[in-house]
Amino acid sequence: MSRHASASTRTRTRVAAGIAALITVACTASATAVDRSPGADSPAKPREAAALTGSAKLSRTLGDDITFTFDAHLAAEHRMDPAKATGTFRFSHYLDGEGAWAKGRIDCLVTGGKVAVATGVITASDLPGAKGKRVGFTVHDVGRHDRLGYSWASVGNPVETKDLPKCVSSAPFERVKSGTGDFRVLPWQPDFVE
């Protein structure tokens, strides 16, 4: 074998070894990034099963001040049981200085694509008869033009809703007022759906 061929073989061997080392480093870094949260020393938690978060005002022609806020989550370990959702909700409706507010705890959350349906029980309110009532919400997360519906749409107020089951609400017929906030929906991925 000539001296030139031997030097060429050594160069190719070094280049191949260098490429193999770079691939190993890249794969190790990628695996570490997948297995761990940024800056954490322990493995990352699995993605939560579903979520509905955010706050926004509704758009009303008469100038009503209506705000809804959600912080609802379905943990990964409860992926197959939407009734184990946790979190809070709050809403208020005022016009010409009159109205009411309510807040409560989430008791069910189902999401599909960018649509969420959640229910919860009112734990505090200045609306007589509202405390203890289950109410439902539907959110369609379409970016800057989100839509919202609520279980009392056809009866007038949450007190009028009787025996509402978990995870039931109306179609998201109301629009969010531009520039007042945003809702975010994390799609549910139950085990039985491909």
Side-chain angles (χ1 to χ4, degrees):
M1 173 157 62
S2 74
R3 195 157 134 206
H4 178 66
S6 178
S8 177
T9 302
R10 283 192 303 267
T11 301
R12 279 186 289 210
T13 303
R14 276 190 237 134
V15 168
I19 290 172
L22 285 173
I23 290 171
T24 301
V25 168
C27 289
T28 302
S30 177
T32 300
V34 168
D35 292 343
R36 298 187 183 273
S37 297
D41 289 349
S42 62
K45 291 181 182 176
R47 170 194 178 276
E48 64 185 332
L52 167 60
T53 58
S55 183
K57 292 180 182 281
L58 298 186
S59 181
R60 286 288 183 95
T61 56
L62 297 177
D64 302 49
D65 183 0
I66 306 171
T67 303
F68 284 84
T69 301
F70 304 103
D71 186 20
H73 304 273
L74 181 61
E77 63 266 24
H78 301 302
R79 173 177 314 285
M80 297 306 294
D81 190 356
K84 292 207 174 170
T86 60
T88 59
F89 66 87
R90 182 177 176 86
F91 60 88
S92 61
H93 183 169
Y94 293 97
L95 178 62
D96 298 328
E98 294 189 21
W101 61 269
K103 67 179 184 176
R105 60 175 174 75
I106 295 293
D107 65 5
C108 192
L109 173 66
V110 174
T111 63
K114 290 298 196 170
V115 177
V117 177
T119 52
V121 176
I122 295 173
T123 57
S125 178
D126 62 354
L127 178 64
K131 189 173 178 182
K133 288 282 190 178
R134 177 175 289 118
V135 290
F137 314 97
T138 305
V139 170
H140 188 190
D141 175 7
V142 288
R144 296 179 301 161
H145 305 289
D146 293 345
R147 300 184 75 84
L148 185 134
Y150 35 86
S151 59
W152 61 94
S154 65
V155 293
N157 74 55
V159 176
E160 310 272 330
T161 306
K162 296 184 180 167
D163 303 321
L164 183 73
K166 290 183 177 183
C167 277
V168 172
S169 187
S170 73
F173 64 96
E174 298 248 24
R175 289 181 306 141
V176 165
K177 187 174 182 179
S178 182
T180 65
D182 185 36
F183 298 119
R184 290 165 302 286
V185 173
L186 178 66
W188 184 38
Q189 298 173 337
D191 296 341
F192 56 84
V193 175
E194 284 188 40

